[in-house]
Amino acid sequence: MKNIFYLILFVFCQQNVGQTSNKSFKTDIKTSYQYLYALHKPKGEEKKPLLIFLHGSGEKGTDIELVKVHGPFKYLKNHELDAYVLAPQCPKETYWESESLYQLIQKIIKENKNIDKSRIYLTGLSMGAWGAWNLAFAHPEMFAALVPIAGFVDRVPMLENCKIKDIPTRIFHGLLDDVVDVRYSIEIYKKLKNCSTDIALTIFDDANHDSWSRVYDNDVIYEWILQQKKPN
């Protein structure tokens, strides 16, 4: 009887043991993005470069004039740039998203046949620098130069730093920045320096978060940018 009891108990336990199965699941999640943007078109019919500028969090919204407060469009008020300049505006409740920005750039290139695809440049300040880092890492094949200013750097760029080793890069940050720690720029510079073909970091000893005005208001950065060209 005891043996029969243990046999019944064994069978009962076997029936209540959990089972593991391996299966798959697939779904599509779609998100829509809509950007206002300002586009400066240069004079002439010959091929011209394209400079993309990503603004900071203070310029989010639906007033497109905000994208002209800082950066290349501010410079254009009193200077000439022999280039297309694209400044999208990030909607109020969102952040820069790489793939939607990439599609916007592709749209601008398609609609403006005179854009030189070997001379597409990317820059941004603060949140825009963060967006520029992410976009450059998402599509390193697109850009001939990268200029991030006072930007946070995500973990992925920190880990995959050499992915953009062929993009000439100029990083700027204020030593006294109390919004985005200067260590982000220092750390990504150290990582890129090991493999990058052309990189420099400038730290302004007396600058807080606004380290971009002295960069964007100066001819020097545009002269350097416009000299860059992807090899054939």
Side-chain angles (χ1 to χ4, degrees):
M1 290 295 292
K2 185 183 290 186
N3 290 340
I4 295 174
F5 171 76
Y6 283 124
L7 177 62
I8 294 172
L9 181 63
F10 174 78
V11 172
F12 176 79
C13 290
Q14 287 294 101
Q15 289 175 344
N16 286 276
V17 171
Q19 294 183 341
T20 301
S21 61
N22 299 318
K23 299 182 180 181
S24 66
F25 170 74
K26 181 179 181 182
T27 186
D28 292 319
I29 298 175
K30 296 182 180 180
T31 304
S32 297
Y33 293 89
Q34 182 172 351
Y35 296 108
L36 296 176
Y37 63 88
L39 179 65
H40 167 78
K41 296 184 179 183
K43 300 174 183 177
E45 298 298 323
E46 64 273 22
K47 291 283 187 179
K48 298 292 178 69
L50 168 64
L51 173 61
I52 298 118
F53 167 66
L54 303 182
H55 63 72
S57 60
E59 291 73 60
K60 288 182 179 182
T62 55
D63 180 1
I64 194 61
E65 293 304 311
L66 291 175
V67 306
K68 303 174 186 177
V69 173
H70 305 292
F73 271 93
K74 178 186 176 186
Y75 181 84
L76 281 166
K77 292 176 182 177
N78 298 303
H79 304 82
E80 289 287 334
L81 276 178
D82 195 25
Y84 291 84
V85 182
L86 170 64
Q89 186 173 36
C90 189
K92 196 71 176 175
E93 303 303 323
T94 63
Y95 296 91
W96 294 120
E97 195 280 324
S98 295
E99 292 311 308
S100 56
L101 287 170
Y102 178 73
Q103 290 180 31
L104 172 60
I105 297 167
Q106 295 285 43
K107 171 186 180 298
I108 297 300
I109 293 171
K110 184 177 180 180
E111 293 176 352
N112 297 273
K113 304 299 184 183
N114 290 335
I115 289 177
D116 183 350
K117 294 180 183 179
S118 68
R119 300 174 69 199
I120 298 177
Y121 314 120
L122 178 60
T123 185
L125 64 88
S126 191
M127 183 189 79
W130 166 80
W133 281 117
N134 289 340
L135 180 54
F137 273 87
H139 295 280
E141 75 288 346
M142 171 171 275
F143 303 107
L146 173 64
V147 182
I149 307 175
F152 176 85
V153 185
D154 278 340
R155 187 167 180 268
V156 170
M158 285 293 190
L159 293 174
E160 299 181 354
N161 47 85
C162 288
K163 191 175 181 180
I164 64 164
K165 65 182 179 62
D166 296 323
I167 304 178
T169 301
R170 295 293 180 269
I171 308 167
F172 297 89
H173 215 122
L175 182 64
L176 307 179
D177 195 327
D178 58 3
V179 178
V180 178
D181 198 307
V182 67
R183 285 179 294 182
Y184 285 108
S185 290
I186 294 172
E187 188 65 23
I188 191 66
Y189 169 73
K190 287 179 178 178
K191 290 179 178 295
L192 279 167
K193 196 172 185 298
N194 294 324
C195 54
S196 179
T197 56
D198 185 358
I199 187 168
L201 167 64
T202 300
I203 298 175
F204 300 113
D205 293 344
D206 59 343
N208 199 303
H209 192 45
D210 181 4
S211 52
W212 53 79
S213 290
R214 67 184 74 186
V215 179
Y216 287 131
D217 294 352
N218 195 312
D219 298 342
V220 173
I221 193 61
Y222 302 104
E223 291 172 358
W224 177 81
I225 287 173
L226 295 176
Q227 289 173 3
Q228 309 310 309
K229 186 174 183 178
K230 287 173 55 181
N232 294 327

